Amino acid sequence: MPAITGNDYINRIDSLNTRIWIDGKRVTGKKSEHPAFKGVMKTQAALYDLQHTATQQESMTYTSPLSGEPVGLSFLQPTTKEELTKRRQMIQQWAKHTNGMMGRSPDYMNTVLMAFAASSDLLNGEENCFPENIHQFYAFARENDLSITHTFVDPQVNRAQFYIEENDAPIAAKVVDKNEEGLIIKGARLLATQGGITDEIMVFSAGGIQDKANGFAFAIPSNTSGLSFICRESFVLGENTFNYPLSSKYEEMDTIVVFDNVCVPWERVFYYDNLPISNRFIPASSFNAFALHQVVSRQVIKTEFILGIVQSIIKTIQIQEYQHVQEKASEIIIALETMKALLLQSEAQAKLDDSGFMRPDQTVLQIASNIFPRAYPRFVEIIQQLGTSGLMSIPSEQAFHSENSKDLEHYLQAATKDAKDRVRLFRLAWDVSMSSFGTREALYERFFFGDPVRLATKLYFNYDMTPYEKQVGDFLDSDA
């Protein structure tokens, strides 16, 4: 099956007998009809439908090298700067349909898998590594337009630098056995966003592995025997898009993934029992460069949306004459244009890597990934500072159809909007800055690519400052 439709996606996920638990109860029936998943699955289905829109199909898909059929463009392994730009444009088309609010839209993991396959030669000749399996799964996912989630974070039991787990029953997922069928995995991983509502889950090590039993990478179907997804509390407060404009559409559930002696078939294992590879593959591969390119592309669209909300508030209650208001809006403008410039610069400075793929400049994207985790919480603060009491004076849509409607229309009107339209805007601002959905978004963006301090440290050690040191040395020597 080439690029799928929204109905294909929904029918496929509904047909999986995936073990999903929420509020202590197993989800039964169609997942697309469950209140916790209905909105986000409908939104995701709309993204897949865009691949079949006459005016957008060419920019959303490309011709499969295997079947000749159209497949999703986010699977494309770019070999030219033009193809890298096409990837970004496609990513941003999808992001505009979610206003950048969905960090795990399908293109993210499509990009991750594409990068894994593009760097699989790093595994050639290494013990217990199977680069051919990555290529086979990449082709399978591309040709069937699979949706994928992932997990790589261990449970936060003890975050001491040299903690080694010594429990009889594993907590962090690890290899406990292997047989002729495959690896046996037991334990847990955290934060599989959209866990249980994708076709597959990829599990891999992000580095810092001290026990080779905890180092592996593989992909398995979401309905694999022994695999369970335990959900956090849902942040969907209702389906009404007036009352809950964002959470009703974009609430991506986060899950704990439990492996109860899960058998991973050998053909789905990418690597295992190889400590150097477990710690080296991700940073040495094109994962960071391509994943950051996708993330920053989406974050640009999200920043545009935030700026639109802020300017709408400013004009609605006529506060544009105040300098502190202008300064706050300008903070977002500066962040937006900086992110856009860095994204375009990463493409302008892209180079072919050793595998022949056009890799965006990782250093430039690292700079962007250091800016946004600090900028986004500030965006939320600005919305709160400009919205003030208006973010609390937000009756529901039902109130406008009650005997209170006349009072609401009179007392909640704004300079440029009637009361209902004003409340609609402020409910949107509330959902992005104060609701459970909005605060989760702020935390999500703050730690999207890891601890901001570690990101800064990584940038410091990776950035080549030698020419600037030499410049200073040459200056000093010239006066010696």
Side-chain angles (χ1 to χ4, degrees):
M1 179 185 291
I4 62 172
T5 66
N7 279 335
D8 293 330
Y9 160 71
I10 287 176
N11 291 337
R12 208 155 64 183
I13 301 306
D14 280 343
S15 69
L16 295 177
N17 189 27
T18 308
R19 292 175 60 87
I20 308 174
W21 298 81
I22 185 167
D23 295 332
K25 300 176 182 177
R26 184 170 176 182
V27 175
T28 59
K30 293 182 176 181
K31 289 174 279 295
S32 63
E33 295 178 0
H34 190 284
F37 312 117
K38 183 177 182 179
V40 70
M41 287 187 67
K42 183 178 179 181
T43 298
Q44 198 135 278
L47 297 181
Y48 284 118
D49 281 337
L50 287 176
Q51 298 180 137
H52 300 274
T53 304
T55 57
Q56 293 182 309
Q57 185 176 28
E58 185 176 348
S59 61
M60 301 294 294
T61 63
Y62 74 107
T63 302
S64 164
L66 288 181
S67 66
E69 298 285 344
V71 292
L73 192 66
S74 53
F75 287 106
L76 176 67
Q77 294 176 314
T79 56
T80 65
K81 289 184 179 181
E82 289 73 22
E83 288 181 339
L84 186 61
T85 298
K86 283 185 68 175
R87 279 185 52 83
R88 185 243 307 157
Q89 291 170 339
M90 175 268 154
I91 289 163
Q92 291 191 319
Q93 278 183 272
W94 264 6
K96 285 179 181 178
H97 281 266
T98 66
N99 297 299
M101 289 287 166
M102 282 177 55
R104 289 294 183 265
S105 53
D107 48 312
Y108 177 76
M109 283 307 299
N110 294 354
T111 297
V112 170
L113 179 55
M114 176 276 290
F116 272 32
S119 301
S120 61
D121 54 359
L122 294 172
L123 305 181
N124 289 340
E126 295 284 348
E127 185 178 12
N128 299 319
C129 295
F130 311 97
E132 67 278 8
N133 290 352
I134 297 181
H135 281 288
Q136 289 171 6
F137 181 64
Y138 164 64
F140 177 65
R142 181 191 64 211
E143 298 305 312
N144 292 277
D145 211 358
L146 297 184
S147 57
I148 309 170
T149 186
H150 78 306
T151 180
F152 61 87
V153 179
D154 289 337
Q156 292 182 336
V157 177
N158 186 330
R159 300 194 71 187
Q161 190 168 1
F162 297 109
Y163 166 68
I164 297 178
E165 185 182 305
E166 296 179 348
N167 292 277
D168 292 335
I171 298 176
K174 66 188 297 183
V175 177
V176 294
D177 197 4
K178 55 182 182 292
N179 56 37
E180 61 182 16
E181 294 182 13
L183 298 178
I184 307 301
I185 309 294
K186 189 171 180 61
R189 286 282 181 90
L190 302 183
L191 294 181
T193 301
Q194 291 201 28
I197 59 169
T198 63
D199 295 292
E200 300 261 345
I201 179 170
M202 281 181 62
V203 186
F204 54 88
S205 309
I209 304 299
Q210 299 170 21
D211 182 348
K212 63 183 181 181
N214 298 111
F216 43 72
F218 59 81
I220 52 176
S222 294
N223 63 347
T224 298
S225 177
L227 184 65
S228 297
F229 299 89
I230 303 175
C231 302
R232 60 160 165 78
E233 180 182 7
S234 174
F235 297 153
V236 177
L237 301 178
E239 295 182 25
N240 186 299
T241 56
F242 180 100
N243 296 339
Y244 312 108
L246 299 178
S247 62
S248 62
K249 298 176 181 177
Y250 308 138
E251 214 291 76
E252 296 179 288
M253 177 60 72
D254 303 300
T255 64
I256 302 164
V257 187
V258 177
F259 301 85
D260 185 10
N261 293 314
V262 171
C263 181
V264 179
W266 286 117
E267 65 269 19
R268 289 300 198 91
V269 177
F270 304 154
Y271 59 78
Y272 82 102
D273 201 16
N274 187 320
L275 204 56
I277 286 295
S278 296
N279 289 315
R280 190 178 71 230
F281 179 70
I282 294 295
S285 73
S286 59
F287 166 83
N288 282 312
F290 283 119
L292 280 169
H293 185 254
Q294 188 277 338
V295 171
V296 175
S297 296
R298 175 188 60 82
Q299 289 172 337
V300 165
I301 302 302
K302 191 171 191 174
T303 305
E304 291 176 343
F305 185 58
I306 295 296
L307 181 58
I309 292 173
V310 165
Q311 182 62 6
S312 296
I313 291 172
I314 290 171
K315 294 181 71 173
T316 295
I317 55 177
Q318 294 288 286
I319 54 175
Q320 61 264 42
E321 64 187 82
Y322 301 107
Q323 285 188 319
H324 77 91
V325 172
Q326 299 160 11
E327 180 189 34
K328 290 177 174 65
S330 293
E331 283 187 57
I332 303 175
I333 293 171
I334 292 167
L336 172 61
E337 292 302 321
T338 300
M339 294 286 288
K340 286 165 64 176
L342 290 169
L343 179 59
L344 294 177
Q345 185 70 0
S346 77
E347 296 173 7
Q349 295 182 188
K351 293 184 175 68
L352 287 173
D353 62 19
D354 292 340
S355 300
F357 298 109
M358 186 60 66
R359 192 183 297 193
D361 188 279
Q362 185 171 317
T363 300
V364 172
L365 292 169
Q366 278 184 281
I367 293 169
S369 75
N370 272 267
I371 291 172
F372 200 74
R374 292 170 170 80
Y376 191 81
R378 176 57 180 153
F379 297 166
V380 169
E381 184 180 37
I382 288 172
I383 290 173
Q384 293 173 347
Q385 289 173 331
L386 298 182
T388 61
S389 63
L391 296 172
M392 292 182 280
S393 305
I394 47 172
S396 68
E397 184 178 34
Q398 293 84 339
F400 284 95
H401 300 289
S402 71
E403 60 186 80
N404 303 131
S405 60
K406 187 174 181 180
D407 284 340
L408 295 178
E409 291 288 356
H410 182 67
Y411 295 118
L412 293 183
Q413 62 181 293
T416 62
K417 293 184 186 292
D418 63 31
K420 191 172 182 180
D421 285 344
R422 178 190 183 278
V423 170
R424 185 192 301 273
L425 170 63
F426 276 76
R427 287 201 71 96
L428 171 60
W430 164 83
D431 212 4
V432 81
S433 66
M434 294 178 64
S435 70
S436 53
F437 170 86
T439 51
R440 182 263 183 194
E441 285 286 306
L443 185 69
Y444 190 70
E445 297 294 4
R446 189 190 292 271
F447 293 101
F448 192 99
F449 246 82
D451 177 17
V453 175
R454 291 183 65 184
L455 291 178
T457 298
K458 189 175 180 181
L459 177 63
Y460 174 80
F461 283 111
N462 289 345
Y463 195 85
D464 183 12
M465 293 177 276
T466 306
Y468 315 121
E469 287 184 276
K470 183 178 184 301
Q471 183 179 355
V472 172
D474 290 346
F475 173 77
L476 293 175
D477 290 344
S478 68
D479 292 330

